[in-house]
């Protein structure tokens, strides 16, 4: 069982195509591409922490359909664009605004928003967040795990920790 992170999927949100310049010709292709990438990376027994802004625009029925079609045990860290239909969808294992979890022996602080400081920061804890769509200058031990900086599939902690090394090459 692996643990993955993602955020800012913005299923059903046409702004993702305009503002974030995602490489899809239309919203249907966007949503289908994200679903396919998710399910290619995540097995049914894996855990995914979604760090907010799951969907904006689709009906409650469509949100439930998308969520039910995604592999893994899914936890939502609430984002500013997550409305009642997203929050009330039955396939979330948990819905909260903040979490601290141990992953591969490290404490990881999860929130939709980036922090300046966080619990355990001086002891090696990481802050994973979404919201900024890769536009914030990264701080040490802080990572934006959203679709725009990390790609369409949820990513494991090891990939997050090496993500800045790939960009420097």
């Amino acid at each position: 069982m692996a643990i993955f992170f993602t955020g800012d999927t913005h299923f059903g949100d046409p702004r993702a195509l305009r503002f974030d310049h995602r490489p899809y010709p239309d919203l249907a292709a966007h949503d289908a591409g994200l679903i396919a990438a998710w399910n290619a990376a995540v097995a049914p027994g894996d855990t995914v922490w979604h760090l907010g802004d799951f969907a904006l625009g689709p009906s409650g029925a469509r949100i439930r359909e998308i969520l039910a079609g995604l592999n893994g045990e899914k936890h939502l860290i609430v984002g500013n664009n997550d409305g009642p239909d997203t929050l009330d969808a039955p396939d979330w294992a948990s819905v909260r605004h903040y979490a601290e979890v141990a992953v591969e022996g490290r404490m990881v602080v999860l929130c939709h928003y980036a922090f300046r400081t966080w619990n355990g920061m001086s002891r090696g804890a990481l802050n994973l967040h979404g919201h900024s769509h890769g536009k914030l200058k990264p701080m040490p031990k802080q990572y934006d795990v959203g679709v725009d900086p990390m790609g369409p599939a949820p990513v494991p902690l090891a990939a997050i920790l090496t993500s800045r090394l790939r960009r420097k090459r």
Side-chain angles (χ1 to χ4, degrees):
M1 177 170 117
I3 299 173
F4 293 87
F5 302 91
T6 192
D8 299 307
T9 47
H10 286 271
F11 287 109
D13 185 351
R15 298 174 309 160
L17 299 177
R18 289 193 317 267
F19 299 143
D20 300 320
H21 309 291
R22 294 186 182 172
Y24 302 98
D26 56 40
L27 202 49
H30 170 267
D31 291 358
L34 293 183
I35 292 166
W38 180 305
N39 288 335
V42 178
D46 293 338
T47 298
V48 178
W49 287 91
H50 190 292
L51 302 189
D53 289 359
F54 180 75
L56 181 66
S59 67
R62 179 65 180 140
I63 290 171
R64 290 187 299 278
E65 178 185 329
I66 292 168
L67 186 58
L70 296 172
N71 287 342
E73 177 186 84
K74 299 164 290 275
H75 299 267
L76 177 65
I77 300 295
V78 178
N80 58 301
N81 288 304
D82 292 319
D85 287 330
T86 295
L87 302 179
D88 295 338
D91 281 299
W92 294 116
S94 70
V95 175
R96 50 189 139 166
H97 290 272
Y98 175 91
E100 295 178 2
V101 296
V103 179
E104 300 172 14
R106 289 188 88 156
M107 185 164 92
V108 181
V109 175
L110 307 174
C111 188
H112 180 61
Y113 306 100
F115 293 137
R116 295 275 310 269
T117 65
W118 55 90
N119 188 30
M121 181 180 183
S122 64
R123 295 181 306 281
L126 304 174
N127 170 224
L128 305 185
H129 66 89
H131 187 66
S132 62
H133 296 259
K135 293 178 174 76
L136 286 181
K137 181 180 178 187
M139 289 177 48
K141 297 183 267 186
Q142 183 179 66
Y143 298 86
D144 181 343
V145 299
V147 166
D148 300 299
M150 290 293 172
V155 291
L157 186 60
I160 294 166
L161 293 174
T162 60
S163 63
R164 292 186 190 146
L165 299 175
R166 289 192 306 265
R167 282 189 220 149
K168 290 179 183 175
R169 290 181 188 177

